[in-house]
Amino acid sequence: MAGQLIVGLDVSTRARAEEIVSLLGDAVDFYKIGYQCFYGADGYGLGKALLAAGKKVFFDLKLLDIDNTVEKGVAAIAETGATMLTVHAYPKTMRAAAKAATGSGLCVLGVTVLTSMDDEDVRQAGYERDAAGLVALRAQQARDAGIGGVVASPHEAEMVRAIVGPGMAVVTPGIRPAGAEKGDQKRVMGPAEALAAGASHLVVARPIIEAADPAAAARAILAEMDGKRVSFA
């Protein structure tokens, strides 16, 4: 169960990130490094150190550029031994990323629609679909591009799982355990419900890293997850 929980190291210093990892100890073995940590806390170096310590690393960089640049960037991340990397779920971008990751252990994830966005936000961005419709389109395109999985709201996890089948990762942020505040997230769900809906991995940051006892918070989330386990190779 611990392997399905990914803790987001959304902090601005490497010292704080390392402190969180130390506090979590063996309770967590999978960490997400996003913009804040990557740029503000030597996240690249931290990620390599975590990998050397036997942890799994998810670089949440949401790559989007011309095909050649994406391909070279994905290849560079693949060489680190990282487990996951995000790209924007545009067909050309995903195809370039899939090509670069071939033969490596890197699972490329296409980001569908951010969990901080709802139907009105999607319309304001110029899409003639609601959030669920855009997620469905991008899940189909991710499957066809041959990447390893997608990032989607837990509210779309069941739909996405039906589209991509059992072999792809469905990674869901927007996870809020019992009693946690939603913050700036709009499409959230509890841990057990997200797994039951088809998620393979859950990303949790603030409810763990801002807790007085991060290890206890992580164990509580793992206990909530315990009612449903999903296999993902």
Side-chain angles (χ1 to χ4, degrees):
M1 189 58 63
Q4 294 176 276
L5 174 63
I6 304 172
V7 173
L9 293 174
D10 296 343
V11 295
S12 299
T13 68
R14 181 161 174 174
R16 177 55 180 157
E18 290 174 337
E19 179 184 19
I20 292 168
V21 172
S22 178
L23 289 169
L24 289 171
D26 294 336
V28 174
D29 64 4
F30 207 159
Y31 290 95
K32 179 180 78 71
I33 294 175
Y35 292 159
Q36 182 180 0
C37 185
F38 192 86
Y39 294 116
D42 183 23
Y44 184 72
L46 172 64
K48 293 181 75 173
L50 289 171
L51 289 164
K55 302 292 186 181
K56 295 179 181 179
V57 172
F58 168 12
F59 283 111
D60 185 16
L61 303 181
K62 301 180 180 69
L63 301 183
L64 177 63
D65 212 307
I66 63 172
D67 295 359
N68 183 62
T69 299
V70 169
E71 188 175 335
K72 289 180 177 179
V74 172
I77 293 295
E79 289 181 0
T80 69
T83 299
M84 290 179 171
L85 169 71
T86 48
V87 301
H88 278 280
Y90 290 91
K92 283 170 62 65
T93 298
M94 292 189 289
R95 288 194 295 269
K99 179 181 177 182
T102 299
S104 74
L106 182 65
C107 176
V108 175
L109 303 169
V111 178
T112 58
V113 176
L114 300 177
T115 52
S116 60
M117 299 178 69
D118 58 17
D119 291 344
E120 181 57 28
D121 295 316
V122 169
R123 281 191 288 270
Q124 288 183 10
Y127 294 99
E128 296 181 354
R129 299 170 182 263
D130 60 11
L134 185 55
V135 170
L137 172 65
R138 289 179 166 174
Q140 293 165 7
Q141 292 170 334
R143 178 198 63 203
D144 295 343
I147 62 172
V150 298
V151 178
S153 158
H155 285 270
E156 285 91 46
E158 183 174 6
M159 174 187 69
V160 169
R161 178 59 69 199
I163 292 169
V164 304
M168 289 177 66
V170 178
V171 179
T172 56
I175 301 299
R176 290 295 181 266
E181 295 184 0
K182 292 173 63 174
D184 58 355
Q185 304 283 9
K186 294 181 179 179
R187 296 175 1 261
V188 303
M189 188 177 285
E193 292 81 4
L195 289 174
S200 61
H201 298 78
L202 311 183
V203 177
V204 183
R206 280 170 284 187
I208 291 177
I209 68 173
E210 294 181 1
D213 186 340
R219 286 193 293 268
I221 291 171
L222 287 166
E224 287 193 47
M225 294 167 63
D226 197 42
K228 182 70 175 179
R229 185 177 180 84
V230 178
S231 296
F232 168 70

